Amino acid sequence: MADRLPPLYALRAFEVAARSCSFTRAGAELALTQSAISRHIRSLEEQLGCRLFERNGPRLRLTDAGQRLARQLSAGFSLIEQACQPFRGAARQLRLKAPSTLTMHWLLGCLERFREHQDRTLVQLSSVWMDQDNVDFASEPYDCAVLLGNGQFGERVKCRKLFEEWLIPICAPSLLGEGPWDAAWLARMALVHPSADRRDWTRWLHGSGLAGPVELNRGACFDTLDQGMAAAMAGHGVSVGDLALVGTHLRDGRLALPFRQAVATGDGYYLVWPQGSAWEDAILGLGEFLLGQKPEPVL
């Protein structure tokens, strides 16, 4: 059987190169030269009898065979890594993925308190921009994640809800004037959209019954709630914020609420992890701690 298997180093070189379609980046990750990665993959193609990459000058693209092999190798190496983790010493280090806005306005502080609370489980945080929150534990180097969603994160994924998402309009106090702050006032104001598809304003307007008089196809569009929040604080218009994440800026006077009605989206922030994880006890411990750190209500 061993004679029929390709060398493990060649399989690993291909799996890493397939993630970025770059021999140079694969070499940097594995501490090898670009030419060594190229030789490993060429020998693998010869042994398997098929092409794994299409080469068009400096550009690389996975073939259909390469895509199939990459998916299965990613899952295989992930299983090997999980099998080895419990034997790497007493300290547990959880690799946690989380969206950038949640990280800056809630999670970082929580993890600092978590470190003070105990010293057995270490958390390595990766704050990542995601248009739609997601994680693929088979191909991404994470043990768990905090994601915004409806609780359906795919097969063989477990989750625990931390808190719900409620949307509410936010602006700089200087924009409020004397009121009244109603649909007519909002229709005159510049809108700030925290996402290119304008989904947050759409959900709040429909949920609050003010969708009719407000034209959504205007205003500046950004990538994140955090950017929308910054634009609102600078006085560039009225944005939509997550009620759980704007509390600090409301209390320090940098933001104000022209409307007191928050709209539940049906989504929430969840701690998620793969079923059968070797780190499940540590992940559950982190989840219990985060549940005790829910943002304080501001309404």
Side-chain angles (χ1 to χ4, degrees), residues 260-282:
R260 305 296 292 182
Q261 182 176 359
V263 170
T265 66
D267 290 335
Y269 289 97
Y270 290 79
L271 179 65
V272 304
W273 65 96
Q275 183 177 339
S277 170
W279 296 118
E280 186 161 60
D281 288 346

Side-chain angles (χ1 to χ4, degrees), residues 69-81:
L69 182 61
R71 283 194 298 269
Q72 294 181 52
L73 286 179
S74 293
F77 280 117
S78 179
L79 287 174
I80 292 172
E81 186 175 0

Side-chain angles (χ1 to χ4, degrees), residues 9-297:
Y9 57 79
L11 293 172
R12 187 58 166 168
F14 167 73
E15 188 271 334
V16 174
R19 282 194 244 123
S20 60
C21 280
S22 169
F23 292 174
T24 300
R25 286 194 285 271
E29 181 171 336
L30 296 175
L32 297 172
T33 64
Q34 182 269 348
S35 59
I37 297 292
S38 180
R39 287 195 303 272
H40 289 329
I41 292 174
R42 191 181 307 115
S43 68
L44 184 60
E45 289 177 325
E46 291 173 357
Q47 186 163 357
L48 295 177
C50 63
R51 295 181 66 84
L52 300 173
F53 285 100
E54 294 289 349
R55 297 165 176 81
N56 184 12
R59 299 174 59 185
L60 294 173
R61 184 176 65 85
L62 284 168
T63 63
D64 290 342
Q67 291 177 16
R68 292 197 303 272
L69 182 61
R71 283 194 298 269
Q72 294 181 52
L73 286 179
S74 293
F77 280 117
S78 179
L79 287 174
I80 292 172
E81 186 175 0
Q82 288 186 37
C84 294
Q85 280 177 343
F87 306 98
R88 289 179 172 170
R92 300 175 176 179
Q93 180 163 289
L94 295 179
R95 298 165 301 175
L96 174 67
K97 178 183 183 181
S100 54
T101 298
L102 180 78
T103 295
M104 295 307 299
H105 295 277
W106 180 70
L107 188 56
L108 268 182
C110 291
L111 294 180
E112 289 176 2
R113 292 186 289 275
F114 184 69
R115 283 195 298 271
E116 297 168 357
H117 178 74
Q118 56 80 60
D119 58 5
R120 179 168 176 79
T121 301
L122 305 176
V123 179
Q124 178 185 327
L125 172 66
S126 294
S127 179
V128 181
W129 178 84
M130 295 174 278
D131 181 43
Q132 299 286 342
D133 289 9
N134 65 88
V135 64
D136 182 354
F137 290 114
S139 62
E140 296 184 76
Y142 304 113
D143 303 304
C144 53
V146 178
L147 303 178
L148 177 65
N150 61 5
Q152 303 299 316
F153 296 99
E155 296 182 2
R156 300 184 61 78
V157 174
K158 302 176 75 171
C159 66
R160 185 160 194 181
K161 182 187 281 190
L162 301 176
F163 56 90
E164 295 180 344
E165 180 189 43
W166 291 77
L167 297 178
I168 196 165
I170 54 174
C171 67
S174 59
L175 289 186
L176 286 179
E178 298 181 358
W181 307 304
D182 52 19
W185 175 84
L186 187 57
R188 296 192 302 270
M189 299 301 294
L191 297 184
V192 174
H193 298 278
S195 59
D197 61 8
R198 297 173 167 83
R199 62 179 177 266
D200 295 311
W201 266 118
T202 299
R203 287 188 290 187
W204 186 85
L205 288 168
H206 283 283
S208 62
L210 298 179
V214 180
E215 175 57 55
L216 279 173
N217 292 322
R218 60 186 177 87
C221 294
F222 295 92
D223 287 332
T224 66
L225 284 169
D226 196 40
Q227 292 174 336
M229 199 183 306
M233 280 190 278
H236 296 301
V238 185
S239 186
V240 176
D242 187 325
L243 186 61
L245 305 182
V246 299
T248 299
H249 299 306
L250 292 172
R251 286 187 284 269
D252 66 19
R254 300 179 69 190
L255 285 174
L257 300 178
F259 299 87
R260 305 296 292 182
Q261 182 176 359
V263 170
T265 66
D267 290 335
Y269 289 97
Y270 290 79
L271 179 65
V272 304
W273 65 96
Q275 183 177 339
S277 170
W279 296 118
E280 186 161 60
D281 288 346
I283 293 168
L284 289 172
L286 174 62
E288 284 293 329
F289 183 85
L290 294 179
L291 277 171
Q293 304 293 310
K294 288 183 181 180
E296 296 180 5

